[in-house]
Amino acid sequence: MVQEKVRVSTRTLEWKCVESRADSKRLYYGRFILSPLKKGQADTIGIAMRRALLGEIEGTCITRAKSEKIPHEYSTIVGIQEPVHEILMNLKEIVLRSNLYGTCDASICVRGPRYVTAQDIISPPYVEIIDNTQHIVNLTEPIDLCIGLQIERNRGYLIKMPNPFQDGSYPVDIDAVFMPVRNANHSVHSYGNGNEKQEILFLEIWTNGSLTPKEALHEASRNLIDLFIPFLHTEEEKLQEAKLLLEDNMVPLTPFTFRDKLAKLKKIALQSIFIDQLELSPKIYNCLKRSNIHTLFDLLNNSQEDLMKMEHFRIEDVKQIVGILKKHFAIDLRKN
């Protein structure tokens, strides 16, 4: 556990992590402060951040299971200790971390007698299992068990009624919880007198281990900002009109003013694209995250030489990033 003394700045707005700990592989805790704020601002930010932390961050879950041995969700199988419904509940408890876009397939193929845990899941390399010891099923007899799984990255809750499919698959996305943040609280401490009264915002975050509280805070902030970007569209539309008029030589708009506004809009667009969407390998994704590179804008602020200075980064990793940028965005990463 890490604890720091709370210090309040009276001149600039600052945030700080004052407590951080990992209670288990699937329970992380973090406590943060933001100060100094004017009267009423702490509640405004705290309420919005709590909603963003609980509802706007994406997570990864197992959302469907399929096996020829499963006639229906509430059946029991000879040689398997748990009923099918309990097996599905165990699968829903598995915590995953990924940079997946959409869905992918995984599987479990084992032979009993033995205990089956999350370690027995065969998944793509970009899907990481947080706790390999998570129990799934106990095979009490020498039988073969093969289960096909569907993994999905989404946000919030996925609520569906169980409907059997003709191919024998049964969805386990009933009340599926994609939220990596288990809980979030905020509190306000006021100090000062009269018109000089100021506030400190305290944020407490608990996560399931797929994200640290600090990463969750960063992603929630980014997502919250993205929700307000549409309010900037009026300025963008004006800029497009000015561009058309400039091409027709109908209005004397200085090139500096136009380039300045265009650069600003380009920056906003690059900040809205997260590296989660770039289909990077887990190793590259984790290295970039550890270096506080979260968006395409952050990535382009680094050269190829900068990336090579990162721990565990190789020339093959840089080539993969350069290839993705050229293929999807027609952007080249500068060499130095």
Side-chain angles (χ1 to χ4, degrees), residues 152-169:
E152 181 178 347
R153 182 178 172 89
N154 211 321
R155 68 179 185 89
Y157 293 97
L158 183 62
I159 303 175
K160 276 191 177 183
M161 296 301 294
N163 295 312
F165 292 87
Q166 293 182 353
D167 62 357
S169 64

Side-chain angles (χ1 to χ4, degrees), residues 15 38 42 60 70-71 88-89 96 111 122 134 146 153 207 213 215 217 219 235 238 263 291 302 304:
W15 75 276
K38 294 181 180 179
T60 306
I70 301 177
L88 298 181
M89 294 302 103
L96 304 173
R111 180 172 178 79
I122 303 171
Q134 168 68 37
C146 290
R153 182 178 172 89
T207 69
E215 289 174 330
L217 183 63
E219 297 236 0
E235 183 68 22
K238 289 180 180 178
S291 300
N302 291 268
Q304 296 183 29

Side-chain angles (χ1 to χ4, degrees), residues 162-283:
N163 295 312
F165 292 87
Q166 293 182 353
D167 62 357
S169 64
Y170 286 80
V172 296
D173 51 8
I174 308 165
D175 299 332
V177 182
F178 293 99
M179 298 155 40
V181 176
R182 289 188 171 185
N183 195 14
N185 290 328
H186 85 278
S187 57
V188 180
H189 172 70
S190 300
Y191 63 97
N193 297 312
N195 295 331
E196 297 182 357
K197 197 168 186 179
Q198 294 180 313
E199 296 178 340
I200 303 175
L201 172 64
F202 288 83
L203 277 171
E204 292 182 290
I205 303 172
W206 291 262
T207 69
N208 64 1
S210 61
L211 287 178
T212 65
K214 187 176 180 180
E215 289 174 330
L217 183 63
H218 183 91
E219 297 236 0
S221 301
R222 293 280 190 181
N223 294 340
L224 198 58
I225 291 171
D226 289 345
L227 293 176
F228 291 97
I229 286 181
F231 292 106
L232 301 175
H233 284 178
T234 301
E235 183 68 22
E236 183 180 354
E237 291 167 1
K238 289 180 180 178
L239 187 58
Q240 291 297 329
E241 293 174 1
K243 181 180 178 181
L244 293 174
L245 292 174
L246 181 63
E247 292 173 348
D248 295 336
N249 296 319
M250 296 178 62
V251 62
L253 182 64
T254 63
F256 173 78
T257 303
F258 177 74
R259 286 197 301 267
D260 188 50
K261 289 185 177 181
L262 195 60
K264 183 178 180 180
L265 290 174
K266 181 180 179 182
K267 178 180 178 181
I268 293 174
L270 294 176
Q271 288 176 331
S272 303
I273 302 174
F274 294 90
I275 63 172
D276 308 60
Q277 302 167 257
L278 301 185
E279 300 178 356
L280 301 170
S281 67
K283 174 198 169 184

Side-chain angles (χ1 to χ4, degrees), residues 45-74:
I45 299 173
I47 293 172
M49 283 302 303
R50 185 176 186 275
R51 294 293 297 269
L53 285 163
L54 294 175
E56 298 299 328
I57 302 179
E58 291 188 344
T60 306
C61 289
I62 296 173
T63 57
R64 182 171 297 174
K66 181 176 69 173
S67 175
E68 295 179 354
K69 291 183 177 292
I70 301 177
H72 58 82
E73 184 179 356
Y74 299 100

